[in-house]
Amino acid sequence: MALWQKVENGAIVDTSASATSSSKEKVNNNLDKDDFLNLLVAQMKYQDPLEPQSNTEYVSQLATFTQVEATENMSHTAESLEANGLVGKTVIMRPTNSVTGETSDVVGVVDYMMKEGSNIYLAINGSLYNLDDLYTVADSEYMDAVVIADDFESTMAQMPDADHVSLADEEAFKHIRNQYDGLTDYQKEFITKNSKDALDKFLAAETALNALIALRDTIANGGTTTGSEDTENETTEENGTEAGTPEES
């Protein structure tokens, strides 16, 4: 064994081929179990022969190494279980663009999980996303309500407001009303919270449209607004009296 070793910045440099290859593969400053084991071997290899470490110290360090390895394995197992539990659930991923550094949200159902080395990926909408990019897990009922509220808002953005609504919009507003009435209370609550302006616009326009429909029906019926007046007039004529004139005793 060589008695002299290269030293840089107060640390012994391992010039062996294995150490050189290992250093090239490491691209970050995080120490894993392999780094810990390499440090332990280097410590044993380059210890002072005049003051060697005791067996007790080596046993203690090996026990620490075993603990580090067990912790790392538990972490990988926990991540795998987490990924398996996400299959079939709606999630929001927030990956970061490696070029621009910008983040974007991806919403979808996890089709399956895949392990590749130490990385775990989730398959969503035909693409793979790293588990580290998981932003949140959403309940399917919640996501449905959010989508419905967004669709309602988009639909009302294309509809006229109360000042510009016309009879030509009757069928469109009836369709929107039928869809809204078919929603659950939970889904309506999301529209009230997330799309309140759109809901207010719909209700105001619907009220104005109903007034136009009532006016149209009145004109179509010859100007008669209620059926009670016709009934009263017919009854009065049958009794031989004029409308609005009390009978003589």
Side-chain angles (χ1 to χ4, degrees):
M1 179 183 69
L3 297 178
W4 303 97
Q5 293 292 331
K6 184 178 178 180
V7 177
E8 289 182 0
N9 298 326
I12 297 176
V13 177
D14 187 357
T15 58
S16 64
S18 60
T20 302
S21 175
S22 177
S23 62
K24 290 181 179 179
E25 294 176 357
K26 296 297 178 182
V27 293
N28 55 47
N29 296 324
N30 297 326
L31 296 178
D32 56 16
K33 62 181 181 181
D34 294 331
D35 295 317
F36 187 88
L37 182 58
N38 289 333
L39 290 173
L40 180 59
V41 172
Q43 183 181 8
M44 296 174 61
K45 185 175 180 180
Y46 301 113
Q47 65 177 320
D48 187 349
L50 300 179
E51 295 181 4
Q53 288 184 314
S54 66
N55 294 334
T56 303
E57 292 176 346
Y58 284 127
V59 171
S60 176
Q61 292 179 0
L62 285 172
T64 303
F65 167 75
T66 303
Q67 184 178 5
V68 171
E69 183 178 26
T71 301
E72 187 173 320
N73 291 337
M74 287 179 60
S75 177
H76 288 314
T77 301
E79 289 181 346
S80 297
L81 292 174
E82 178 187 6
N84 280 321
L86 294 175
V87 175
K89 293 187 177 180
T90 302
V91 298
I92 300 177
M93 307 297 294
R94 184 163 288 179
T96 301
N97 189 298
S98 58
V99 178
T100 63
E102 297 179 351
T103 59
S104 59
D105 288 351
V106 177
V107 182
V109 177
V110 179
D111 296 322
Y112 61 90
M113 61 83 68
M114 184 182 73
K115 293 184 65 176
E116 187 174 298
S118 59
N119 295 320
I120 298 178
Y121 297 94
L122 301 177
I124 303 169
N125 300 331
S127 301
L128 293 177
Y129 298 89
N130 196 300
L131 181 62
D132 295 337
D133 294 330
L134 177 65
Y135 178 66
T136 187
V137 181
D139 179 76
S140 58
E141 184 179 6
Y142 167 84
M143 289 306 304
D144 288 342
V146 170
V147 172
I148 289 174
D150 290 343
D151 289 344
F152 180 83
E153 187 170 352
S154 299
T155 299
M156 286 309 304
Q158 303 174 15
M159 300 300 295
D161 57 19
D163 294 332
H164 300 88
V165 70
S166 67
L167 291 174
D169 304 309
E170 181 178 358
E171 291 302 321
F173 272 86
K174 282 184 178 179
H175 180 69
I176 296 174
R177 166 55 68 180
N178 290 335
Q179 285 189 320
Y180 181 82
D181 290 342
L183 300 178
T184 65
D185 292 338
Y186 182 75
Q187 293 167 340
K188 291 179 180 178
E189 181 181 351
F190 267 79
I191 292 180
T192 303
K193 290 181 178 179
N194 299 353
S195 306
K196 186 178 185 304
D197 292 341
L199 180 60
D200 292 342
K201 176 183 177 180
F202 169 73
L203 294 176
E206 185 183 46
T207 299
L209 178 60
N210 287 337
L212 293 176
I213 294 174
L215 179 61
R216 179 197 62 189
D217 294 343
T218 299
I219 295 175
N221 293 330
T224 303
T225 56
T226 61
S228 59
E229 294 180 0
D230 294 339
T231 303
E232 181 179 354
N233 291 335
E234 292 175 358
T235 303
T236 303
E237 291 175 357
E238 290 176 358
N239 292 333
T241 59
E242 295 181 353
T245 303
E247 295 183 1
E248 296 180 358
S249 56

